[in-house]
Amino acid sequence: MGQISETPPPARPLAGKTVAVVHAAWHSCGSYQVNVSQIAAYQALGARVLSVAMMDALTPPAPDGGRWPSYLAATRDIGADRRYFCGAPNAALASRLLLDGWWRLIHGDQASWLIEIAKRVPVPDDLEAIDLFHANHYITLPFVERLKRGRRVPVILETQDIQARQYVLRNQGGFFIPPYVGYDEMLAVELDWMRRADLCAHLNEEEDRDFRALLPQARHALIYPAVLDVPRAAGGEIIIVASDNYANYKSLRWLLQEVVPRADGARVAIYGNIDAGVKQRDPALYEAHRALFRGRVENIGAVYANAGCVLLPTVEGHGLSIKAVEALSCGAPLIATPLAFRGMKVDPSAFSNVSLAEDAEQFARLWREAQARADAGETPAAASDTRKYYEAVFSPAAYARALAAELETLPA
């Protein structure tokens, strides 16, 4: 992945301060890349930065149990000055968690379940004194409250979409029993915890607008996330990069079922752990197209460097797509549905290296044309409209400047 290459803010307002970036213990996804760039931005502002990873499930202790080994192996590039690994122990299920959380979870209430887990995450004994918390997703806030140890410490909450929407989408792929807990009930849990943050930072236009309407008494800021740049595309491979979530699965299913049959042999290499999600949810679909999947790779930068075109077949999802921003950064020609640019205040049709498709037939035609250019040896230009847009809006330097402006308004 890239580094902060643009000129950083001239001031270092957090020199001598310690910032804790508290986040779910996720990897190989857009949220993880947001966390990496948050840490880099706070370091550019002069802070000592701690990564506090909270497992969003009951877990054996790190580093050897449960999902911890895979998380640790995949997050060596997080860049923090110090790391903490925290999770609610399996023994918590013998407590009121069974009644307070699990009983609601089986009816689809993932919001309450995750809050109850966070309430039971032990505070590290050797936690350093913190001057600012940057919490990611409201589900970490009960844990942050305990990390504060009764001190008055400012908290920035980065919402990363309305999570109740994500839970409703995720529930489509699960099994729950009636009476079902729906969007409104889970949203109420989310909003109740958000009220406790000193600043709610939103990373896309839609999210900022909706939360301002839902919580008019809270302080809000639209701060586009920093996405560390990937190498400039200079190859000829047509690629898709996708992590395993339900929205990506539905989008890729659309491509495989509706677009591929019309693509006339146009080729694509699909990178990321989405292969596991497709294999689990639709084994027959996976087997029919398994030759397209390359799986998760350690160096995703090398994938973008060898790209001649990036496909963004987005037909489902809420919030900003981090993979779309990565694609902007690499500067390659993009073939995309309009939904791929959700949350960005931009007209993608204005980019000279973006081709928009409204349906499967148009997507397949554009893909065939891109394949012909690749077969003729054409490679992406050294500069592109999408790369310029990335540098102005989504670069680490732009994010650090936006954070510095908001820091001045926080309570001491």
Side-chain angles (χ1 to χ4, degrees), residues 116-254:
E116 293 303 325
I117 285 179
K119 289 178 179 178
R120 291 162 172 81
V121 178
V123 174
D125 293 333
D126 59 344
L127 183 70
E128 300 179 34
I130 309 298
D131 298 294
L132 171 68
F133 286 97
H134 190 115
N136 288 273
H137 301 94
Y138 79 94
I139 62 172
T140 64
L141 289 177
F143 182 43
V144 169
E145 286 294 311
R146 299 176 59 235
L147 292 172
K148 291 163 68 173
R149 291 175 165 153
R151 296 175 57 230
R152 179 70 186 97
V153 183
V155 177
I156 297 175
L157 170 66
E158 189 149 327
T159 50
Q160 297 191 39
D161 194 23
I162 296 178
Q163 292 304 300
R165 291 173 178 163
Q166 301 289 352
Y167 301 150
V168 169
L169 183 62
R170 190 185 306 170
N171 283 353
Q172 295 176 15
F175 175 77
F176 303 96
I177 63 175
Y180 301 116
V181 173
Y183 172 80
D184 290 339
E185 292 170 274
M186 289 190 283
L187 178 63
V189 174
E190 186 168 352
L191 296 178
D192 178 58
W193 279 95
M194 286 179 60
R195 291 184 180 96
R196 310 175 197 210
D198 296 291
L199 173 67
C200 296
H202 313 299
L203 50 65
N204 68 70
E205 300 279 342
E206 176 187 3
E207 177 184 331
D208 180 63
R209 181 196 65 231
D210 290 348
F211 274 129
R212 286 177 188 270
L214 289 166
L215 287 176
Q217 73 279 21
R219 290 191 58 244
H220 301 270
L222 172 60
I223 306 178
Y224 284 116
V227 177
L228 298 184
D229 63 345
V230 297
R232 309 294 175 86
E237 187 175 47
I238 297 176
I239 68 167
I240 292 173
V241 178
S243 56
D244 178 19
N245 62 55
Y246 196 67
N248 284 346
Y249 160 69
K250 293 187 73 172
S251 296
L252 195 57
R253 184 180 64 184
W254 174 77

Side-chain angles (χ1 to χ4, degrees), residues 258-291:
E258 303 297 330
V259 182
V260 167
R262 296 174 166 89
D264 245 358
R267 301 183 296 279
V268 66
I270 303 171
Y271 293 92
N273 63 356
I274 187 62
D275 60 334
V278 175
K279 186 175 183 179
Q280 177 186 9
R281 297 181 181 99
D282 193 334
L285 183 67
Y286 173 79
E287 289 299 327
H289 301 282
R290 67 180 304 162

Side-chain angles (χ1 to χ4, degrees), residues 283-339:
L285 183 67
Y286 173 79
E287 289 299 327
H289 301 282
R290 67 180 304 162
L292 303 181
F293 293 96
R294 302 292 188 270
R296 183 182 179 277
V297 295
E298 285 295 326
N299 185 6
I300 197 66
V303 172
Y304 281 109
N306 192 46
C309 179
V310 181
L311 305 186
L312 299 171
T314 308
V315 299
E316 187 68 76
H318 300 288
L320 188 76
S321 169
I322 300 303
K323 293 304 179 187
V325 179
E326 284 185 354
L328 296 175
S329 168
C330 82
L334 309 181
I335 299 172
T337 60
L339 189 61

Side-chain angles (χ1 to χ4, degrees), residues 340-358:
F341 299 92
R342 64 187 186 267
M344 303 181 201
K345 196 173 185 179
V346 67
D347 175 9
S349 66
F351 295 136
S352 62
N353 60 318
V354 172
S355 299
L356 293 177
E358 298 289 347

